[in-house]
Amino acid sequence: SHGRALAGLVDVQYVDMSRILKIAMSFWPDFQREVAPPMAAGVLVPDELLLRPLTAYFSTLQRGKGFVCSGVPRTAKQVDPFVEAVEKAVGISSFIALDLRLSAEMAIHRCRERAEKDKAASREPRPEDTDERLIRGRVKIHNDNKDELFRALTAYDVKIRAVNCHDDPQTTFSRIVEALG
């Protein structure tokens, strides 16, 4: 939600990795069979699977126009192919990454809220939003990977901005905007 709002605020393109994966699963049945098990288990989609639709999606973006990307890269191994794909397809080589700091308890609370909103809107909630074990697993994966990820990003001169996300969504969004200048 914050990524989409930020992209709208500064009038740039929005890249949502979870949406890209859903689109890819609808177009490529083999891809769905490979991606569904790790997604259902709450673990990261393997890098080689994740990068295939992402690279294809980048080729649809307006060349030279900035974008906000949500959900990727998540590991240090994704950084090189991510940067290469962006530079090749979009022609951008300058990035800022956000370190969104959120406790497991707050992540569980926010995911449950999102699931309730989905239910209220007669939409099927994401399975990973209703299972505390999966949410805790995703937070652990993030925490286990973030130091190495940020080191890999800084090798490309990416600026890392830390943002405390424990307050209400509006305050968090204000902090994101402030962190980005």
Side-chain angles (χ1 to χ4, degrees), residues 75-97:
T75 67
K77 290 179 184 175
Q78 293 174 359
V79 171
D80 289 343
F82 174 84
V83 171
E84 289 170 19
V86 171
E87 288 178 342
K88 181 180 177 185
V90 189
I92 294 175
S93 59
S94 177
F95 306 94
I96 298 173

Side-chain angles (χ1 to χ4, degrees), residues 17-45:
M17 194 63 228
S18 62
R19 181 153 167 70
I20 292 169
L21 288 173
K22 289 175 187 171
I23 292 168
M25 288 189 299
S26 69
F27 281 101
W28 302 326
D30 290 344
F31 183 78
Q32 181 180 10
R33 284 190 285 281
E34 293 178 85
V35 170
M39 288 178 77
V43 297
L44 294 178
V45 172

Side-chain angles (χ1 to χ4, degrees), residues 137-157:
R138 287 192 331 230
V139 170
K140 182 179 181 340
I141 290 168
H142 169 75
N143 289 335
D144 291 349
N145 285 289
K146 80 175 191 173
D147 290 340
E148 187 179 359
L149 167 65
F150 291 148
R151 273 193 301 276
L153 286 167
T154 56
Y156 283 97
D157 211 20

Side-chain angles (χ1 to χ4, degrees), residues 6 96-100 142 150 159-163 176 179-180:
L6 182 62
I96 298 173
L98 295 177
D99 177 6
L100 301 177
H142 169 75
F150 291 148
K159 294 160 187 60
I160 311 294
R161 305 281 195 259
V163 179
I176 290 170
L180 293 172

